[in-house]
């Protein structure tokens, strides 16, 4: 399986000067990343723009050579042609927003890639069928919508049945129906044994289908684990959102349940109160949630809505960096420029 | 499923299949529609012109036999063919890099050397097709006008030299395309290189001749000719002309030994290709 051991990669940006036309500035990248991908798992790679998600994926795909540390496949460092060939067979990469400008057709694209892999053309057609592009297989690439181009990119990544699938912002451009189908397909691939890495800057979107998330900030891993684990690691309490009619149950909740803090949220239409109920150092399991419902009912209020709140990226970044979401997001560029 | 790269015949087959796909894409492009017509117009027109009874030759060189007439025609005809290589190849790497297609290519289980060779072959074959087809038409025009055909041996050397010239430009252009990070830089590098070798190389010869103390006011002198031929070894067009001159009658033969010319041809065939393949091994999509 694929593993990164203390990997560092920094981009070298061309910054020609009058005195040195070949001058390059060390730019952003990733630093000291160690991560091991597990089979049958979907890992979400999350972070603001420019934080190193794509760079990390390209290093994993063997497209960018680590400056420091090692990329390992089945425990062996990828250092020669043999290990690179093994990596190429095992790992597949779908870049963000491939242009597919043509001329050509999806069928020809797949046929060309099958030729590169020494595979039969029918495999390419099967992948087109899997992503729902059979009807458009012979259409010119220039006539495909953005969503269809994304599907074609996915089909190219699925070719050869990779053990590790690296998908860079794959949901961009897909309509909700295609997104649901896409999530189902990824779950199916993972249950068949594939290890999948999906990058996104939208944590809520990923929360719907990933097993674990890896939070990246300024080229480093801030935290990795299930969303709940990440939240607790960063000291973010487990939260419930509740709304209802009648008396506000804040005081009753704080008095009845130990370790709970309640804060008022903006009132929702059709409800008299709207609360966020935070539980420190424990989880909102079914029993706990039932306890909340009972306390609210006994306080004379009528509960109309109760749900667990997942943290968004801004929330997690604020917790991880101690900065405001805006500062944390923009810190990436300013700090890197200073180095 | 094998975890290694393809080997032997399967490897060669994979390279050729990818080449076939890329050639098809370029041959069916609008660019071919334009360049094909331009190349055909130049080559057929040149062959017609040099066989016109009123044509007085180039400089002091007058041609009467078919291969010499073909040689004269190349002075005009090779401009669009070499420019065609630049135009077919300028985005072969840079555009795929920009669109993300190169990243997909490079993650396939195919060695980067093979991917590079497939790109080279595709651009080379695409530019050879209109050039060779037009030259076959040109040879028929010459045969019709002077009632004689070049010999088979002469044709082999002529077509080999022409194919080599286009190969050299293909390697240079793809190297430029792989170095550039955008299409503008790629086409600038390609056209710039093409301009240096096609239009201002004589200036380079004149500068070198001046430095070594040869009179440059008389470019028909034997002394200048020797310097010019030596400098021409460093230009693809120069080597091409020298290769073709080996087919001409005695007084039009190059003064340099054939070995130097063929050595230079081999160097031009290998060095830019190696640079390009090496570049592709280091390219970061």
């Amino acid at each position: 399986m694929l593993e990164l051991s203390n990997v560092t990669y920094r981009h070298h940006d061309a910054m020609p000067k009058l005195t040195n036309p070949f001058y390059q500035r060390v730019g952003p990248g990733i630093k000291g990343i160690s991560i091991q991908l597990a089979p049958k798992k979907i890992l979400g790679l999350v972070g603001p723009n420019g934080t190193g998600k794509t760079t990390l994926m390209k290093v994993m795909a063997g497209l960018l050579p680590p400056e420091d540390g090692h990329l390992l496949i089945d425990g062996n460092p990828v250092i020669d042609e043999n290990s690179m060939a093994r990596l190429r067979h095992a790992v597949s990469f779908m870049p963000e927003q491939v242009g597919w400008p043509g001329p050509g057709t999806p069928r020809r694209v797949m046929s060309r890639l099958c030729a590169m892999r020494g595979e039969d053309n029918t495999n390419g057609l099967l992948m087109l069928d899997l992503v729902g592009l059979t009807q458009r297989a012979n259409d010119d690439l220039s006539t495909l919508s953005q969503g269809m181009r994304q599907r074609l990119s996915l089909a190219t990544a699925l070719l050869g049945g990779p053990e590790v699938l690296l998908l860079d912002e794959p949901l961009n451009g897909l309509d909700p129906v295609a997104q649901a189908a896409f999530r189902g397909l990824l779950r199916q691939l993972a249950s068949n044994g594939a290890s999948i890495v999906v990058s996104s800057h939208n944590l809520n979107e990923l929360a719907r289908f990933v097993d674990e998330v890896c939070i990246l900030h300024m080229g480093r891993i801030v935290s990795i684990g299930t969303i709940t684990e990440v939240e607790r690691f960063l000291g973010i309490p487990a939260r419930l959102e509740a709304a209802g009619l009648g008396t506000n149950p804040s005081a009753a909740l704080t008095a009845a349940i130990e370790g709970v803090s309640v804060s008022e949220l903006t009132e929702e239409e059709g409800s008299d109160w709207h609360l966020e109920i935070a539980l420190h150092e424990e989880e909102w399991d079914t029993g706990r949630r039932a306890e909340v419902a009972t306390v609210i009912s006994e306080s004379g209020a009528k509960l109309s809505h109760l749900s667990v709140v997942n943290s968004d990226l801004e929330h997690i970044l604020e917790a991880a960096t101690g900065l405001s979401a805006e500062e944390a997001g923009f810190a990436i560029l300013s700090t890197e420029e200073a180095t | 499923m094998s975890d290694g790269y393809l080997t032997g015949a399967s490897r060669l087959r994979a390279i050729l299949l990818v080449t076939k796909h890329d050639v098809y894409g370029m041959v069916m492009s609008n660019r071919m529609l334009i360049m094909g017509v331009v190349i055909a117009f130049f080559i057929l027109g040149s062959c017609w012109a040099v066989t016109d009874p009123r044509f007085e030759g180039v400089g002091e060189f007058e041609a009467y036999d078919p291969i010499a007439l073909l040689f004269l025609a190349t002075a005009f005809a090779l401009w669009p063919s070499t420019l065609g290589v630049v135009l077919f190849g300028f985005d072969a790497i840079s555009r795929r890099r920009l669109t993300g297609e190169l990243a997909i290519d490079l993650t396939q289980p195919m060695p980067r050397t093979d991917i590079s060779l497939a790109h080279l072959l595709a651009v080379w074959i695409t530019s050879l097709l209109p050039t060779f087809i037009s030259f076959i038409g040109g040879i028929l025009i010459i045969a019709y006008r002077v009632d004689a055909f070049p010999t088979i041996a002469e044709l082999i050397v002529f077509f080999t030299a022409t194919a080599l010239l286009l190969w050299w430009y293909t390697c240079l252009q793809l190297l430029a395309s792989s170095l550039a990070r955008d299409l503008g830089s790629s086409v600038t590098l390609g056209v710039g290189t093409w301009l240096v070798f096609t239009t201002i190389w004589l200036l380079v010869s004149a500068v070198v001749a001046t430095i070594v103390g040869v009179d440059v006011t008389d470019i028909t002198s034997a002394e200048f000719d020797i310097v010019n031929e030596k400098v021409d070894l460093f230009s693809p067009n120069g080597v091409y002309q020298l290769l073709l001159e080996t087919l001409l009658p005695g007084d039009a033969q190059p003064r340099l030994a054939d070995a130097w010319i063929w050595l230079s041809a081999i160097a031009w065939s290998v060095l830019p290709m190696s640079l390009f393949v090496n570049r592709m091994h280091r390219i970061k999509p």
Side-chain angles (χ1 to χ4, degrees), chain A residues 9 58 63-64 81 84-86 88-89 93 95 98-103 108 111-113 115-118 156 160, chain B residues 1-6 14 17-18 21-22 24-25 95-96 99-101 104-110 115 284-285:
Chain A
Y9 179 86
K58 285 186 174 177
L63 291 170
L64 299 176
E81 281 287 290
M84 186 56 88
R86 167 77 187 111
R88 295 271 172 263
H89 277 286
F93 174 55
V98 181
W100 300 121
R108 291 198 67 81
S111 172
R112 183 177 182 275
L113 291 175
M116 292 181 97
R117 307 180 67 92
T156 66
Chain B
M1 186 179 69
S2 162
D3 281 340
Y5 290 133
L6 296 171
L17 276 174
V18 176
H21 276 282
D22 291 352
Y24 180 84
R95 188 177 70 160
R96 295 187 78 81
T99 59
E101 292 166 282
I104 291 176
D105 281 358
L106 296 181
T107 50
Q108 302 307 316
M110 186 183 206
I115 296 174
K284 291 166 184 168

Side-chain angles (χ1 to χ4, degrees), chain A residues 127-182:
Chain A
M127 294 306 125
L128 285 181
D129 192 39
L130 198 63
V131 299
L133 272 183
T134 304
Q135 298 290 321
R136 304 296 302 268
N138 295 314
D139 290 357
D140 194 85
L141 290 170
S142 62
T143 65
L144 299 185
S145 68
Q146 184 54 44
M148 285 171 183
R149 284 162 203 257
Q150 283 289 84
R151 290 197 225 177
L152 177 58
S153 302
L154 179 64
T156 66
L158 295 176
L159 207 54
E163 296 162 40
V164 178
L165 197 53
L166 307 170
L167 309 170
D168 195 1
E169 306 274 3
L171 298 175
N172 283 358
L174 293 184
D175 59 59
V177 179
Q179 283 190 18
F182 179 84

